[in-house]
């Protein structure tokens, strides 16, 4: 995750009757010692110092601080903040995800800490400081309002009525036009002084600039990965476009994540994700450059860190943003200003750096684009799960409900259609329901949650159990506050279980999922997230825990975490989701070494989206004994027959299932309806039964009310003939498969 910053100086004014601190551009602010080293932030009227500090590490325990946060680190962060301001570095960058407990496994949100530091500093008098924060375009955030909502939450944590710079942290899967509109709205409402983007390539940059220009608002900045040894912005047109459009290029990883400080060598390479980029081979190639940087620094009485930062400052229209965890680092960074390398030295260092090829960690190309494509799968996952049966047992002295596999549970009406969940000993019915919509207000429920919808969700839960559909799928992201939801789906399910168990033991299966976000690293992140999910569910264990999608990195650690969860008794079975054949086999083999079966792989699979049959995923699941859990089994409602060329679906689905496509699919929908009439079944039930007929497949449609849950249950207890199955496949094959939200090629 990059460190992004930039903002105009403002004066902190203490008002007797105002609880917040007003961040305002002020010509009366006291000039600091680095006034001569200020530049305009893009086309805005704001002037900012040529260097800033990043606050990602402040409060974070998911990536920084050795996974621990204490008073010593808090004091060090506060000292870094104050030292930066004292040295004239007035740019302090944060983001809503930094240190955030739910998404980032943090101890305390970085914005909250900065708000505290600012409040304490202003007690000493007016202070010049620039606060910038960023919007995370997570796939469930849609439209301009999501930007304003997130910004207001950030302002609340910061204790400010406005900030100087607000940026889109990375391009979204969709909705980017809406996000840019949201930035413009924020400017017009006086919530920000300048707006920017981050990790935007040339095409996206120009489009965003033009969109804002129509409203008379300049795009102030584009923050990208840029350093002496990673000069991709010079090669891909981003730097040239920034210069042409008058957009400041904010450089994150300006010291190549510490590599350019000279502290790493071929014999002592960095650990973690950085070690995969800055290998001993690469570091050996860079040794002549490291030596020359040190020599040049000695000439000026500067450190290697100060030399490489100054090299960037010399590129013009570039604002480097290194991260600072201590006062010593902040002081050292300030020493990069107030002097300049010669043109010959700049050229010499560039020539030496060109001898080594470094990929870096960039959002403009994989691996982070993989994350963005993967995150799109979230929008398609109205239900992604499957889990082993469990008993909810009421214990007088136990505040939590123990979810355990039990042979003593009464047999339910669909016992005859149960299958083993992969290689585990758990047996599950061949249908489940998804609970994504329960509590959600970012994609479902017309952006509102009320008592009626709560009752509908509860009725869907109970109707499913009554009908024998005992799979209930949720995930830590469904309905969460961070995803702009009203109530976390896990919390709702926990309350439904608690109410139902008062009537006596009953059979239900709960599955939830881990969000493989890029700042979550290592096996412990899986256990921490699982424990948080169990707390919301009010359970001491669940039957199935899956990785929601492959991570940008750290996948081996995630799989180890799944194994640890099994051995600690927190789950009965583990699975993966959106894994291609190679990833599936790797995960299977890694768990097999510990004697743990991989129970499932959940992928997009339906009558009109049969890619798992073509890319080897279905065959690999059958070969390895891994259950294939099918999400979007009715193609997000298309196979129900309710959409027509004259009435296509709205939102993201409308871009996939177009009127043209719906025209082509009509013969198939007509035949599905006719076959349903033969069995006295609905098109929905026929489409679900077709999947069940494929063997080793568990479809998971989403249910928002009792009627849907009851209809889904009607897909069980009967079977299409082989002729029906083949005929529907033949008709579907005449239609080019829709792309949907594919992740199979990852």
């Amino acid at each position: 995750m990059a460190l992004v910053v930039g903002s105009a100086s403002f004066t902190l004014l203490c008002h007797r009757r105002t609880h917040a601190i007003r961040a305002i551009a002020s010509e009366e602010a006291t000039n600091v010692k680095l006034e001569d080293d200020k530049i305009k932030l893009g086309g805005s009227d704001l002037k900012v110092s040529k260097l800033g500090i990043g606050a990602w590490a402040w409060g974070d325990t998911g990536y920084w601080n050795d996974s621990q946060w204490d008073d010593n680190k808090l004091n060090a962060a506060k000292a870094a903040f104050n030292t930066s301001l004292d040295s004239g570095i007035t740019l302090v960058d944060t983001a809503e995800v930094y240190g955030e407990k739910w998404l980032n496994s943090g101890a305390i949100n970085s914005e909250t800490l900065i708000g505290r530091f600012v409040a304490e500093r202003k007690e000493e008098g007016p202070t010049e400081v620039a606060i910038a924060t960023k919007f995370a375009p997570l796939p469930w955030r849609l439209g301009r309002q999501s930007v304003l909502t997130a910004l207001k939450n950030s302002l609340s944590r910061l204790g400010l009525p406005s900030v100087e710079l607000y940026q889109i942290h990375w391009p979204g899967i969709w909705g980017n036009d809406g996000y840019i509109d949201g930035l413009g709205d924020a400017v017009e409402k006086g919530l920000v002084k300048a707006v920017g983007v981050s990790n935007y390539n040339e095409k996206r940059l120009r489009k965003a600039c033009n969109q804002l220009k129509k409203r008379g608002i300049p795009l102030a900045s584009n923050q990208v990965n840029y350093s002496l040894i990673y000069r991709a912005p010079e090669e891909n047109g981003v730097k040239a476009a920034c210069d042409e459009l008058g957009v400041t290029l904010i450089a994150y990883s300006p010291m190549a994540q510490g590599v350019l400080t000279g502290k790493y060598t071929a014999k002592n390479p960095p650990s973690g994700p950085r070690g995969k980029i800055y290998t001993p081979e690469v570091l050996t190639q860079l040794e002549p450059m490291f030596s020359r940087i040190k020599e040049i620094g000695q000439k000026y009485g500067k450190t290697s860190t100060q030399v490489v930062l100054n090299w960037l400052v010399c590129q013009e229209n570039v604002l480097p943003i290194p991260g600072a965890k201590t006062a010593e680092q902040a002081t050292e960074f300030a020493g990069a200003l107030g002097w300049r390398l010669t043109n010959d030295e700049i050229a010499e260092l560039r020539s030496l750096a060109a001898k080594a090829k470094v990929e870096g960690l960039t959002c403009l190309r994989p691996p982070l684009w993989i994350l963005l494509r993967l995150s799109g799968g979230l929008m398609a996952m109205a239900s992604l799960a499957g889990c082993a049966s469990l008993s909810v047992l009421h214990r007088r002295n136990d505040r939590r409900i123990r979810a355990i596999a039990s042979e003593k549970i009464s047999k339910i009406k669909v016992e005859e259609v149960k299958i083993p969940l992969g290689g585990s000993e758990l047996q599950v019915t061949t249908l489940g329901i998804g609970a994504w919509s329960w509590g959600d207000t970012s994609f479902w429920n017309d952006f509102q949650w009320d008592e009626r919808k709560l009752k509908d969700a509860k009725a869907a839960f109970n109707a499913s159990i009554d009908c024998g559909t005992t799979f209930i799928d949720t995930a830590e992201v469904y309905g969460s506050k961070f995803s702009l939801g009203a109530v976390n789906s896990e919390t709702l399910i926990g309350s439904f279980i608690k109410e139902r168990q008062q009537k006596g033991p009953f059979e239900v299966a709960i599955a939830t999922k881990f969000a493989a976000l890029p700042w979550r690293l290592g096996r412990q992140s899986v256990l921490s997230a699982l424990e948080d999910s169990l707390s919301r569910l009010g359970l001491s264990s669940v039957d199935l825990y899956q990785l929601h999608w492959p991570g940008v990195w750290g996948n081996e650690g995630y799989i180890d975490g799944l194994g640890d969860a099994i051995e600690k008794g927190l789950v009965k079975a583990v699975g993966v989701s959106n894994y291609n054949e190679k990833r599936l086999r790797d995960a299977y083999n890694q768990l097999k070494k510990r004697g743990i079966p991989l129970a499932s792989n959940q992928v997009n699979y339906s009558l009109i989206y049969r890619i798992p049959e073509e890319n080897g995923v279905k065959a690999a699941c059958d070969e390895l004994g891994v259950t294939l859990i099918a999400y979007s089994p009715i193609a997000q409602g298309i196979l129900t027959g309710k959409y027509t060329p004259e009435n296509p679906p709205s939102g993201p689905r409308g871009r996939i299932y177009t009127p043209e496509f719906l025209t082509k699919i009509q013969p198939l929908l007509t035949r599905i309806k006719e076959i349903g009439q033969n069995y006295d079944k609905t098109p929905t039930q026929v489409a679900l039964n077709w999947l069940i007929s494929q063997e080793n497949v568990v479809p998971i449609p989403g249910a928002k009310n009792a009627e849907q849950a009851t209809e889904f249950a009607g897909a069980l207890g009967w079977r299409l003939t082989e002729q029906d199955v083949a005929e529907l496949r033949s008709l579907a094959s005449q239609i080019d498969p829709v792309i949907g939200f594919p992740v199979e090629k990852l």
Side-chain angles (χ1 to χ4, degrees):
M1 301 301 294
L3 303 173
V4 188
V5 68
S7 53
S9 62
F10 62 73
T11 301
L12 297 177
L13 303 179
C14 179
H15 295 284
R16 181 176 300 175
R17 296 182 179 180
T18 303
H19 295 290
I21 303 164
R22 180 66 181 173
I24 60 171
S26 173
E27 296 179 357
E28 299 176 358
T30 303
N31 291 333
V32 294
K33 64 188 70 175
L34 296 175
E35 179 66 29
D36 291 339
D37 279 313
K38 287 191 174 183
I39 61 172
K40 287 186 63 177
L41 190 67
S44 71
D45 294 329
L46 304 174
K47 293 187 71 175
V48 298
S49 57
K50 290 186 176 180
L51 194 72
I53 62 168
W56 177 19
W58 300 356
D60 175 76
T61 53
Y63 188 87
W64 301 104
N65 300 306
D66 299 322
S67 302
Q68 292 183 332
W69 185 253
D70 53 33
D71 287 341
N72 289 333
K73 291 167 183 173
L74 171 62
N75 291 333
K78 181 179 178 181
F81 174 85
N82 286 319
T83 300
S84 295
L85 299 190
D86 293 339
S87 300
I89 301 177
T90 56
L91 280 56
V92 180
D93 166 65
T94 185
E96 60 176 336
V97 298
Y98 295 167
E100 204 279 328
K101 183 176 181 181
W102 178 78
L103 276 176
N104 212 2
S105 299
I108 183 169
N109 192 288
S110 175
E111 291 176 327
T112 301
L113 286 177
I114 291 174
R116 188 182 305 171
F117 298 161
V118 169
E120 293 177 6
R121 177 101 180 184
K122 65 92 180 178
E123 293 177 355
E124 302 174 5
T127 302
E128 183 176 14
V129 63
I131 303 297
T133 193
K134 300 179 291 297
F135 167 82
L138 298 165
W140 50 86
R141 285 179 159 178
L142 301 176
R144 63 207 304 167
Q145 186 57 44
S146 65
V147 176
L148 293 176
T149 300
L151 173 56
K152 290 176 182 177
N153 288 334
S154 289
L155 292 174
S156 176
R157 287 186 289 268
L158 287 163
L160 299 172
S162 70
V163 289
E164 306 300 295
L165 179 67
Y166 197 52
Q167 294 181 299
I168 306 298
H169 212 153
W170 61 84
I173 304 298
W174 45 61
N176 288 288
D177 288 349
Y179 297 153
I180 298 300
D181 284 338
L183 291 183
D185 294 344
V187 170
E188 293 176 353
K189 290 178 180 293
L191 299 177
V192 299
K193 297 297 186 298
V195 292
V197 292
S198 179
N199 296 305
Y200 269 43
N201 61 21
E202 180 186 358
K203 181 179 179 181
R204 290 183 181 275
L205 174 66
R206 291 183 182 278
K207 183 177 181 181
C209 189
N210 290 332
Q211 187 174 340
L212 286 170
K213 186 177 181 180
K214 293 177 181 178
R215 299 174 66 173
I217 298 172
L219 181 67
S221 60
N222 182 22
Q223 172 260 312
V224 297
N225 188 348
Y226 186 31
S227 70
L228 175 59
I229 58 174
Y230 188 77
R231 301 177 307 284
E234 299 175 358
E235 303 164 2
N236 59 23
V238 168
K239 176 67 165 67
C242 284
D243 294 343
E244 173 194 339
L245 300 172
V247 175
T248 298
L249 189 154
I250 298 179
Y252 73 79
S253 290
M255 300 182 300
Q257 296 191 329
V259 171
L260 288 172
T261 64
K263 66 181 178 180
Y264 297 114
T265 65
K267 295 181 179 180
N268 178 39
S271 59
R274 292 180 299 169
K276 299 178 181 179
I277 300 169
Y278 304 109
T279 62
E281 181 182 6
V282 171
L283 292 171
T284 298
Q285 295 173 353
L286 291 172
E287 284 180 358
M289 184 193 69
F290 291 151
S291 296
R292 185 57 182 143
I293 289 173
K294 186 175 181 180
E295 292 172 357
I296 292 175
Q298 291 172 341
K299 169 186 172 182
Y300 292 97
K302 298 293 181 179
T303 66
S304 295
T305 295
Q306 293 165 338
V307 171
V308 296
L309 289 175
N310 191 272
W311 186 91
L312 274 178
V313 173
C314 290
Q315 304 309 308
E316 305 300 339
N317 193 36
V318 174
L319 196 158
I321 310 296
K325 291 195 290 182
T326 65
E328 291 73 23
Q329 288 180 339
T331 299
E332 183 179 20
F333 297 158
L337 299 179
W339 62 285
R340 183 170 288 254
L341 292 167
T342 67
N343 290 338
D344 288 343
E345 289 165 343
I346 293 171
E348 181 184 5
L349 291 179
R350 181 188 296 275
S351 177
L352 288 170
K355 296 179 180 179
K357 183 178 181 181
V358 179
E359 288 296 328
L361 296 175
T362 175
C363 296
L364 298 179
R365 62 178 68 177
L368 195 49
W369 265 114
I370 291 176
L371 167 72
L372 299 182
R373 291 175 66 85
L374 280 168
S375 298
L378 278 170
M379 302 306 295
M381 300 173 194
S383 54
L384 323 174
C387 47
S389 62
L390 55 88
S391 290
V392 178
L393 305 179
H394 176 62
R395 296 186 178 183
R396 181 176 301 174
N397 297 322
D398 193 348
R399 294 182 180 179
R400 306 180 96 183
I401 303 165
R402 179 68 180 173
I404 60 172
S406 173
E407 296 179 357
K408 298 180 180 179
I409 298 174
S410 300
K411 303 297 182 182
I412 57 176
K413 64 188 70 175
V414 292
E415 176 68 26
E416 68 275 9
V417 291
K418 284 189 175 182
I419 63 172
L421 190 67
S424 71
E425 297 179 357
L426 302 174
Q427 288 216 341
V428 299
T429 54
T430 55
L431 191 73
I433 65 168
W436 177 20
S437 66
W438 300 357
D440 175 75
T441 52
S442 65
F443 189 83
W444 301 104
N445 301 307
D446 298 322
F447 309 109
Q448 292 183 334
W449 186 252
D450 53 33
E451 285 297 321
R452 180 182 62 79
K453 291 168 183 173
L454 172 61
K455 291 179 180 178
D456 283 345
K458 182 179 177 181
F461 173 87
N462 286 317
S464 295
I465 303 303
D466 293 338
C467 293
T469 307
T470 57
F471 301 150
I472 307 294
D473 167 65
T474 185
E476 60 175 336
V477 299
Y478 296 166
S480 72
K481 184 176 181 180
F482 195 84
S483 63
L484 303 183
V487 183
N488 192 290
S489 176
E490 291 176 328
T491 301
L492 287 176
I493 291 173
S495 67
F496 297 162
I497 290 175
K498 185 176 181 180
E499 292 180 24
R500 176 112 185 180
Q501 62 89 27
Q502 292 175 356
K503 301 177 182 179
F506 68 99
E507 184 174 10
V508 65
I510 302 298
T512 193
K513 300 181 289 297
F514 168 83
L517 298 163
W519 48 85
R520 283 180 161 177
L521 300 176
R523 63 207 305 167
Q524 185 57 44
S525 65
V526 176
L527 294 176
S528 295
L530 174 56
E531 289 170 355
D532 288 341
S533 289
L534 291 174
S535 177
R536 286 186 289 269
L537 287 163
L539 300 173
S540 56
S541 71
V542 289
D543 281 62
L544 179 67
Y545 196 53
Q546 292 180 300
L547 303 183
H548 213 152
W549 60 84
V552 177
W553 46 61
N555 287 288
E556 292 182 359
Y558 297 154
I559 298 299
D560 284 338
L562 292 183
D564 294 345
I566 287 280
E567 293 176 353
K568 290 179 179 292
L570 299 177
V571 300
K572 297 297 185 298
V574 293
V576 292
S577 180
N578 295 305
Y579 268 44
N580 62 20
E581 181 185 358
K582 183 180 185 302
R583 289 184 182 275
L584 174 66
R585 291 184 183 278
D586 288 344
Y588 174 88
N589 289 329
Q590 186 175 340
L591 286 170
K592 185 178 180 181
K593 293 177 181 178
R594 298 174 67 174
I596 298 172
L598 181 67
S600 60
N601 182 22
Q602 171 260 308
V603 297
N604 188 347
Y605 186 31
S606 70
L607 175 59
I608 59 172
Y609 190 79
R610 302 178 307 284
I611 301 300
E613 299 175 358
E614 302 167 6
N615 61 16
V617 168
K618 177 67 164 67
C621 284
D622 294 343
E623 173 195 338
L624 300 174
V626 175
T627 298
L628 189 154
I629 298 178
Y631 73 78
S632 290
I634 47 179
Q636 296 191 325
I638 299 302
L639 291 173
T640 66
K642 67 180 178 180
Y643 296 113
T644 66
E646 296 75 28
N647 179 39
S650 59
R653 292 180 299 168
R655 303 175 188 176
I656 301 167
Y657 305 110
T658 62
E660 181 182 8
F661 175 81
L662 291 171
T663 298
K664 294 179 180 179
I665 203 176
Q666 288 308 305
L668 172 63
L669 295 178
T670 298
R671 186 56 183 146
I672 289 175
K673 184 177 181 180
E674 292 172 351
I675 290 176
Q677 291 172 342
N678 293 337
Y679 294 92
D680 195 22
K681 297 293 180 180
T682 67
T684 296
Q685 293 165 337
V686 171
L688 291 173
N689 193 272
W690 185 91
L691 274 178
I692 293 170
S693 299
Q694 305 310 308
E695 306 299 340
N696 193 36
V697 175
V698 177
I700 311 293
K704 291 196 290 182
N705 53 54
E707 290 73 20
Q708 289 180 342
T710 301
E711 182 180 18
F712 296 157
L716 299 176
W718 62 285
R719 186 68 67 103
L720 290 167
T721 66
E722 292 183 3
Q723 182 179 353
D724 291 333
V725 172
E727 181 183 3
L728 291 178
R729 179 187 294 277
S730 177
L731 285 171
S733 298
Q734 297 174 24
I735 307 165
D736 291 334
V738 293
I739 297 302
F741 302 97
V743 288
E744 294 84 3
K745 294 183 179 180
L746 296 172

